[in-house]
């Protein structure tokens, strides 16, 4: 080699992101790019001994909600703690640009309601130094992060910006509205938007209970926006659908894709109400793919699980009058009161009532578990609190009550919301294995007090390739490729996700045998002391972004080489196998 590499990773076991067999090799990095893979003869300016360690591309997480966090923090945790080196935000139609000053509160209420990011956190943290989407991108481009970030244009923000109160009320758009939204969408792609996102689910509401502005947006509106974006450059169209309306919404979305030639991506899960509906959806996708449509399905790596507890956003007793009377108290005082026999009897003697809260369900104790330590996300059905209580001759509410009072009121319950109809993850494995699927739905940066799924990238490795005991596993090469190269390609990023010469030097060095997720815990480290669920992760020896070590031995180095990724990267390196 003519020049000494900046960094050489020595003797690691390489999963190169292309899905082939593991192999032992050195990896040299020069000027932020991988310069050699094989036997590197010379010494690097820095060397890392990776003998016995797994060397993989940095993971690309295509479904996050860091739209607020990137404006106040340089560290994109918890994703950067889980091997992620590129995160794509602006999903589900929610975000903060474009936005007029008069609509700041409206967009904050939508993000708070849809993604459970508290209003005080967003109000204190977001500087609102922009109005248009290009302004937002310009502002972000001046910031430095511990990973790369990519942005999508959120439909709710766009609709409200163009239509004002009519857009918020979900009025049908006019031809002029569509023309204006299309023009701004084209501008967004030219400014570097990776895509456009929208939502058609009733679960997405503002914190005041209103449905998302995009819920019933017309096909003409979506076609105008998608056509303008695809005409301006490579972009992806991300959407969220409801099971109750998928029979009419999915065909419409596929017509939009067919008429505009835009690639589409959307989440597919297994739902209790129609456990096999996902198979029908996959059949529809296979048929559409044969017609030349570019479709990617995003699949959660485990059950989409709700965390309930006294320290969290929801708990099974939140609608019980006796609990509501003490809900305002600090945690320690609430715990003290709940340990009193008379308060316990009062709360347990009442029943959950209906609420407009889309993320509060009348407790189903047959789907409620204790995660344990280490956390077990694939437990048999008999482990749920309902069956446990029946075996003990008790009420499941008693078990839930006592579990939440553990650890001074920090005990948590885990409710399998999606992907766990059969009491195992066999359907999830089948979905993940489909040719059009990529891992998604980690929701990093969101659901701060009810969901803790930003650890999906680590779970994909620990559970699916190593620890699973209740069914078939997946191979390391498959999982690594799925969440690096395959996710990168799904959003048009052709320059990353592969360990090969010419590719961006985003790399993880993993102590595979030691890779381990701890149980979720609450941290109060958001603006104004805001709360979020986090999981400690062990086993990432080093994470490297653009050739710079950002995390070493599980701790941040303070380096922030990550930048805003502007637009699809349209040319991949032409280095033999690397171009495949």
């Amino acid at each position: 080699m003519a020049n000494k590499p900046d960094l050489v990773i020595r003797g690691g076991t390489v999963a190169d992101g292309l899905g082939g067999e593991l192999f032992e090799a050195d990896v040299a990095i020069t000027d932020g790019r991988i310069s050699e893979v094989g036997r590197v003869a010379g010494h690097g300016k820095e060397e890392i001994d990776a003998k016995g360690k797994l060397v993989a591309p940095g993971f690309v997480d295509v479904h996050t909600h860091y739209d607020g966090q990137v404006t106040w923090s340089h560290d994109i945790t918890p994703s950067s703690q889980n091997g992620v080196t590129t995160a794509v935000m602006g999903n589900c139609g929610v975000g903060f640009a474009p936005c007029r000053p008069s609509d700041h509160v409206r967009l904050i209420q939508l993000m708070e309601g849809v993604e459970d990011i508290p209003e005080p956190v967003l109000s204190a943290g977001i500087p609102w130094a922009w109005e248009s989407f290009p302004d937002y991108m310009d502002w972000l481009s001046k910031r430095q992060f511990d990973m790369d970030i990519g942005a999508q244009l959120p439909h709710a923000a766009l609709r409200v910006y163009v239509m004002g109160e009519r857009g918020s009320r979900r009025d049908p758009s006019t031809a002029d509205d569509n023309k204006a939204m299309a023009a701004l969408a084209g501008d967004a792609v030219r400014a570097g938007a990776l895509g456009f996102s929208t939502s058609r689910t009733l679960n997405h509401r503002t914190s005041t209970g209103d449905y998302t502005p995009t819920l019933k947006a017309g096909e003409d509106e979506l076609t105008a926006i998608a056509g303008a974006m695809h005409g301006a450059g490579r972009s992806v169209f991300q959407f969220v659908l409801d099971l109750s309306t998928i029979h009419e919404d999915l065909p419409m979305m596929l017509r939009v894709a067919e008429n505009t030639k835009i690639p589409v991506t959307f989440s597919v899960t297994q739902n209790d109400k129609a456990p096999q509906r996902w198979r029908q959806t996959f059949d529809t996708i296979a048929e559409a793919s044969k017609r030349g449509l570019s479709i990617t399905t995003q699949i959660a790596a485990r059950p989409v699980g709700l965390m309930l507890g006294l320290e969290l956003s929801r708990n099974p007793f939140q609608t019980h009058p006796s609990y509501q009377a003490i809900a305002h108290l600090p945690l320690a005082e609430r715990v003290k009161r709940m340990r009193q026999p008379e308060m316990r009897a009062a709360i347990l003697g009442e029943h959950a009532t209906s609420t407009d809260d889309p993320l509060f369900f009348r407790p189903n104790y047959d789907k409620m578990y204790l995660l344990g330590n280490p956390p077990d996300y694939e437990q048999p059905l008999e482990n749920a609190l309902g069956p446990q209580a029946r075996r003990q001759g008790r009420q499941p509410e008693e078990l839930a009550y006592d579990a939440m009072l553990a650890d001074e009121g920090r005990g948590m319950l885990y409710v399998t919301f999606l992907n766990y109809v059969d009491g195992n993850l066999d359907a999830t494995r089948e979905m993940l294995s489909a040719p059009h699927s990529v891992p998604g739905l980690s929701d990093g940066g969101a659901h701060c007090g009810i969901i803790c799924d930003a650890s999906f990238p680590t779970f994909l490795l620990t559970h699916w390739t190593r620890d699973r005991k209740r069914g078939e596993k997946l191979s390391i090469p498959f999982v690594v490729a799925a969440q690096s190269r395959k996710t990168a390609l799904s959003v048009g990023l052709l320059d990353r996700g592969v360990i090969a010469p010419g590719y961006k030097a985003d790399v993880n060095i993993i102590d595979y045998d030691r890779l381990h997720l701890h149980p979720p815990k609450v941290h109060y480290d958001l603006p104004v002391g805001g709360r979020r669920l986090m999981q400690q992760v062990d086993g990432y020896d080093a994470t490297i972004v653009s050739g710079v070590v950002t995390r070493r031995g599980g701790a941040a180095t303070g380096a922030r080489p990550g930048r805003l990724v502007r637009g699809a990267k349209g040319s991949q390196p032409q280095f033999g196998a690397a171009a495949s």
Side-chain angles (χ1 to χ4, degrees):
M1 299 176 68
N3 298 316
K4 180 181 280 195
D6 298 317
L7 174 63
V8 176
I9 302 165
R10 291 285 180 193
T13 301
V14 177
D16 64 6
L18 296 173
E21 292 298 315
L22 303 177
F23 59 93
E24 187 173 311
D26 303 332
V27 178
I29 295 170
T30 306
D31 295 331
R33 297 270 165 182
I34 295 169
S35 50
E36 187 177 354
V37 178
R39 179 71 182 95
V40 177
H43 289 287
K45 295 173 186 174
E46 180 184 353
E47 302 230 345
I48 296 177
D49 181 5
K51 189 71 174 175
K53 306 297 171 65
L54 179 64
V55 177
F59 304 139
V60 178
D61 190 337
V62 295
H63 195 113
T64 75
H65 293 280
Y66 289 113
D67 310 71
Q69 188 170 328
V70 296
T71 71
W72 67 68
S73 178
H74 298 280
D75 297 322
I76 313 306
T77 56
S79 290
S80 59
Q81 299 165 332
N82 284 275
V84 176
T85 54
T86 304
V88 180
M89 59 189 185
N91 286 282
C92 301
V94 292
F96 300 114
C99 186
R100 291 187 171 84
S102 57
D103 289 319
H104 289 174
V105 172
R106 194 191 307 268
L107 291 192
I108 283 176
Q109 287 175 341
L110 182 61
M111 184 67 82
E112 179 181 37
V114 172
E115 303 300 342
D116 189 37
I117 305 172
E119 176 276 323
V121 170
L122 295 171
S123 294
I126 298 175
W128 295 110
W130 59 84
E131 178 170 317
S132 72
F133 190 86
D135 287 346
Y136 176 64
M137 296 291 276
D138 286 344
W139 189 83
L140 285 177
S141 71
K142 298 178 176 66
R143 292 179 62 75
Q144 302 174 358
F145 307 101
D146 61 355
M147 68 163 71
D148 283 352
I149 58 166
Q152 298 174 100
L153 175 66
H155 190 188
L158 176 66
R159 198 168 206 269
V160 169
Y161 189 78
V162 168
M163 296 175 61
E165 190 64 35
R166 291 184 300 115
S168 188
R169 286 197 313 257
R170 300 171 300 285
D171 289 0
S173 61
T174 65
D176 286 343
D177 293 331
N178 293 345
K179 186 176 179 180
M181 282 188 273
L184 292 175
D187 290 344
V189 173
R190 285 184 284 271
L194 296 180
F196 166 81
S197 70
T198 191
S199 168
R200 302 179 77 80
T201 173
L202 295 169
N203 287 333
H204 285 174
R205 307 183 198 181
T206 70
S207 55
T208 57
D210 295 325
Y211 293 119
T212 183
T214 67
L215 182 66
K216 293 297 180 183
E219 185 170 348
D220 57 339
E221 178 179 337
L222 296 168
T223 300
I225 293 167
M229 294 191 77
H230 191 61
R234 204 281 186 194
S235 57
V236 67
F237 183 20
Q238 186 266 336
F239 54 88
V240 183
L241 304 180
D242 256 352
L243 179 68
S244 61
T245 54
I246 193 171
H247 60 284
E248 56 189 47
D249 283 346
L250 181 56
M252 182 190 73
M253 291 301 193
L254 295 180
R255 287 195 301 272
V256 171
E258 194 154 18
N259 291 332
T260 63
K261 311 304 180 193
I262 196 168
V264 296
T265 180
F266 68 104
S267 48
V268 177
T269 57
Q270 184 193 41
N271 191 296
D272 287 14
K273 294 177 182 176
Q276 299 303 314
R277 182 59 176 82
W278 66 269
R279 295 187 186 279
Q280 188 179 334
T281 300
F282 273 31
D283 288 343
T284 302
I285 291 166
E287 186 180 314
S289 297
K290 289 177 184 175
R291 302 199 306 271
L293 276 67
S294 175
I295 305 170
T296 303
T297 51
Q298 297 184 20
I299 310 299
R302 62 187 185 222
V304 176
L306 307 181
M307 305 300 303
L308 308 181
L310 301 178
E311 201 178 13
L312 303 177
S313 300
R314 315 288 193 283
N315 76 71
F317 307 113
Q318 69 185 64
T319 63
H320 292 214
S322 295
Y323 179 79
Q324 289 178 330
I326 62 170
H328 65 285
L329 297 174
L331 179 64
E333 182 60 26
R334 246 182 307 147
V335 169
K336 182 179 177 182
R337 296 285 297 276
M338 289 179 71
R339 283 178 173 156
Q340 296 170 353
E342 58 274 21
M343 179 60 72
R344 176 188 174 90
I347 293 174
L348 291 177
E350 297 163 352
H351 299 284
T353 56
S354 298
T355 168
D356 290 335
D357 181 351
L359 283 179
F360 178 78
F361 304 88
R362 295 177 74 88
N364 181 349
Y365 292 99
D366 288 347
K367 291 185 170 295
M368 192 179 293
Y369 299 81
L370 304 181
L371 270 181
N373 186 10
D376 183 355
Y377 292 94
E378 192 176 12
Q379 300 183 44
L381 293 174
E382 58 264 27
N383 280 18
L385 296 191
Q388 280 196 50
R390 288 191 287 273
R391 289 196 298 271
Q392 297 174 26
R394 302 174 66 192
Q395 293 300 311
E397 290 85 352
E398 296 178 62
L399 303 189
Y401 193 99
D402 293 340
M404 289 194 300
L405 285 176
D407 191 20
E408 300 303 317
R410 293 179 175 84
M412 297 182 197
L413 307 167
Y414 177 66
V415 179
T416 53
F417 174 45
L418 297 167
N419 284 9
Y420 214 63
V421 174
D422 309 310
N424 60 55
L425 290 172
D426 290 349
T428 297
R429 184 186 185 280
E430 197 172 338
M431 286 189 278
L432 284 168
S433 301
H436 49 69
S437 292
V438 297
L441 301 182
S442 81
D443 278 343
H447 302 300
C448 300
I450 193 166
I451 294 175
C452 189
D453 286 345
S455 61
F456 275 2
T458 301
F459 181 84
L460 278 160
L461 277 172
T462 55
H463 184 79
W464 284 110
T465 74
R466 190 190 68 195
D467 297 340
R468 191 176 192 224
K469 295 179 175 62
R470 302 185 58 230
E472 288 185 73
K473 299 176 184 177
L474 296 168
S475 73
I476 293 174
F478 174 86
V479 165
V480 168
Q483 63 177 335
S484 55
R485 181 59 168 167
K486 203 172 180 185
T487 44
L489 290 176
S490 76
V491 291
L493 299 178
L494 310 186
D495 64 337
R496 64 197 68 202
V498 179
I499 303 289
Y503 282 91
K504 190 170 181 292
D506 296 345
V507 183
N508 283 309
I509 303 172
I510 301 168
D511 189 337
Y512 179 75
D513 294 336
R514 203 171 61 85
L515 193 62
H516 172 73
L517 282 170
H518 292 253
K521 286 191 175 181
V522 174
H523 293 244
Y524 293 88
D525 60 352
L526 293 178
V528 297
R531 167 201 62 195
R532 60 175 173 164
L533 281 161
M534 302 269 281
Q535 281 181 280
Q536 182 183 329
V537 188
D538 298 334
Y540 287 95
D541 279 10
T543 296
I544 298 163
V545 175
S546 295
V548 178
V549 179
T550 55
R551 298 190 67 83
R552 200 188 298 267
T557 64
R560 290 168 180 145
R563 297 292 185 272
L564 173 70
V565 181
R566 280 190 188 263
K569 298 302 177 187
S571 60
Q572 57 189 359
Q574 299 298 311
F575 286 91
S580 63

